[in-house]
Amino acid sequence: MIYLDHNATTPVDSRVLEAMLPYLKNFYGNASGLYKLGRLSRTTVDTARQQVAGLVGVSADQVIFTSGGTEANNLALTSLDPAAGLAVSAIEHPSILEPAERLHRQGHPLTILGVDPDGLVRQNSLDEVIRSRKPALVSIMLANNETGVIQDVARHAERLRAQNIVLHTDAVQAAGKIPVDFKALGVQLLSLSSHKLYGPKGAGALIFEKGVKLSPLLLGGGQEQNYRSGTENVAAIVGFGKAAELAKAELAQRSEQLAGLKTRLETGLRSIPGLHIFSQNAPRLPNTVQFGLPNVDGEMLLMKLDRQGIAVSSGSACASGGKEPSYVLTAMGVDPVLARSAIRISLGISNTPEQITRFIEILQTLVNQEG
Ligand SMILES: Cc1ncc(COP(=O)(O)O)c(C=O)c1O
């Protein structure tokens, strides 16, 4: 199989699995236990906390472990002042859009920030929000899961901070692919997910600036500084920590390797007549390419590629299976017919140049059959 859907999820790195196994087999202690087995789990969780903190340049007590990116995003939105409004970009992951809409139904003013044809948040829509509505919380993702577009979060953060507006960024797709430094970004809240950076599924984190008020989604035993109750998923947290440590240590090498593969991929794609690469003028992740082919049904093409042993996505994993064109491309003003043909390729560190060449050959054959 040629797996080209790493933005949906990544395989667990063998070194990560190795680190996790003892906590699934032998060291099963509850991290709250006061005896040796419990203390061992506690120490291990603390080590993982430092590893995750290290990935984004914060101190360990700024890390709240969650069940993944979805929970981290939901938790971030609880920082909203009960009387205030919020603004989120139109291309956020559903784990931001859905809770934002719920808050809106509960009476909070909600502004959706528009994006330009390349998928970058429009400066004037942010200006307008600051001027007229003055929301207490803004959420703008660092990198988009479909197009790979990287937003100028540091610039937005500087402007919003000057107005005392909290900025949350969803860095789930960015972490491990580009440098992500919490302080340099200047945000107050940042979400991460383990399974997008070769860690296990079911672990993530919300990074917070001290002083930002959060309201826990889960109440109970008071774990995670009372922000997230529930017995810690020690093995998954260990895996997340190890994956974060490796992502930091290998970042330069990984992004260079991915960029090389992406160049090869895009050169091949451009040889296909009529093919359009979305957001090609915007800064993008080194691993993500989304393209459209006029008059081709993206879902059909995806299934034909699957029959050839190639795994790709027609957009975000959650959007797949639906007949509607991607809301991300729609927000960018892409023609619905072209948007319905969209295919997203997201490369990973075990992909090879030969796999890319093979993918292009197969794609060319399938497209010629359509024509
Ligand atoms: C940008 C973005 N945010 C959040 C999530 C959700 O993360 P998780 O799968 O860990 O809940 C995803 C997953 O697809 C994502 O791509």
Side-chain angles (χ1 to χ4, degrees):
M1 183 186 55
I2 302 180
Y3 184 73
L4 302 174
D5 199 18
H6 292 82
N7 287 6
T9 196
T10 56
V12 173
D13 188 303
S14 56
R15 294 165 293 180
V16 168
L17 180 64
E18 215 43 42
M20 290 171 69
L21 283 176
Y23 298 91
L24 291 165
K25 281 183 179 165
N26 306 322
F27 305 127
Y28 50 81
N30 186 318
S32 301
L34 298 177
Y35 39 82
K36 196 171 170 195
L37 202 61
R39 290 199 309 274
L40 193 116
S41 290
R42 166 64 47 218
T43 313
T44 307
V45 167
D46 287 344
T47 304
R49 197 182 301 286
Q50 274 161 14
Q51 289 165 319
V52 170
L55 178 65
V56 291
V58 295
S59 60
D61 58 359
Q62 291 176 269
V63 178
I64 304 168
F65 282 125
T66 64
S67 63
T70 297
E71 189 189 327
N73 280 346
N74 274 251
L75 182 57
L77 293 199
T78 71
S79 68
L80 181 64
D81 184 315
L86 78 160
V88 304
S89 89
I91 57 165
E92 295 300 306
H93 188 264
S95 55
I96 286 292
L97 292 175
E98 295 285 326
E101 275 154 24
R102 176 189 277 190
L103 285 163
H104 183 45
R105 287 194 295 276
Q106 291 168 351
H108 295 273
L110 169 66
T111 305
I112 303 290
L113 302 168
V115 295
D116 69 13
D118 277 317
L120 287 164
V121 169
R122 284 186 192 278
Q123 196 59 50
N124 61 359
S125 84
L126 200 58
D127 293 344
E128 184 55 28
V129 150
I130 292 175
R131 240 193 334 265
S132 58
R133 306 293 288 273
K134 215 164 180 207
L137 173 69
V138 173
S139 187
I140 298 176
M141 69 202 319
L142 187 50
N144 183 264
N145 40 302
E146 285 191 37
T147 58
V149 166
I150 301 167
Q151 305 290 334
D152 194 348
V153 168
R155 181 154 150 254
H156 301 321
E158 202 181 332
R159 297 193 56 226
L160 292 168
R161 195 177 275 272
Q163 304 289 325
N164 285 325
I165 299 171
V166 172
L167 177 60
H168 162 257
T169 194
D170 174 348
V172 162
Q173 291 293 347
K177 296 170 193 154
I178 57 170
V180 177
D181 184 287
F182 188 75
K183 288 192 201 87
L185 286 171
V187 295
Q188 286 90 340
L189 295 163
L190 181 147
S191 302
L192 295 171
S193 173
S194 155
H195 76 103
K196 309 288 185 182
L197 41 82
Y198 306 95
K201 294 164 184 63
L206 181 66
I207 311 298
F208 68 105
E209 185 177 89
K210 285 179 205 155
V212 173
K213 284 200 185 70
L214 291 164
S215 176
L217 294 167
L218 301 179
L219 302 172
Q223 289 90 345
E224 298 298 306
Q225 306 177 53
N226 272 321
Y227 287 126
R228 205 280 181 178
S229 285
T231 302
E232 293 88 344
N233 184 354
V234 177
I237 290 173
V238 167
F240 182 20
K242 184 69 186 172
E245 184 190 68
L246 293 169
K248 186 180 179 195
E250 298 175 1
L251 180 67
Q253 171 204 327
R254 286 183 188 185
S255 56
E256 193 187 317
Q257 181 201 347
L258 290 171
L261 292 172
K262 186 172 127 187
T263 304
R264 176 179 281 256
L265 173 65
E266 291 196 346
T267 306
L269 289 174
R270 288 202 169 94
S271 72
I272 299 175
L275 185 143
H276 179 81
I277 296 177
F278 298 115
S279 299
Q280 48 188 317
N281 302 317
R284 280 180 295 142
L285 292 173
N287 81 318
T288 309
V289 182
Q290 192 180 32
F291 63 87
L293 279 154
N295 306 320
V296 170
D297 180 335
E299 293 284 337
M300 288 292 285
L301 184 56
L302 184 150
M303 284 184 264
K304 286 181 187 167
L305 286 165
D306 182 34
R307 266 181 243 130
Q308 303 285 329
I310 296 175
V312 300
S313 162
S314 63
S316 62
C318 319
S320 291
K323 281 267 172 266
E324 290 302 306
S326 136
Y327 67 91
V328 173
L329 296 178
T330 303
M332 287 160 53
V334 173
D335 175 77
V337 177
L338 188 61
R340 265 193 209 95
S341 74
I343 293 284
R344 176 191 68 185
I345 307 297
S346 47
L347 305 164
I349 53 173
S350 48
N351 287 135
T352 61
E354 293 70 34
Q355 288 181 329
I356 305 302
T357 305
R358 181 83 192 113
F359 165 69
I360 293 291
E361 279 167 9
I362 292 173
L363 183 66
Q364 275 165 339
T365 311
L366 292 176
V367 170
N368 287 341
Q369 283 168 6
E370 294 260 336

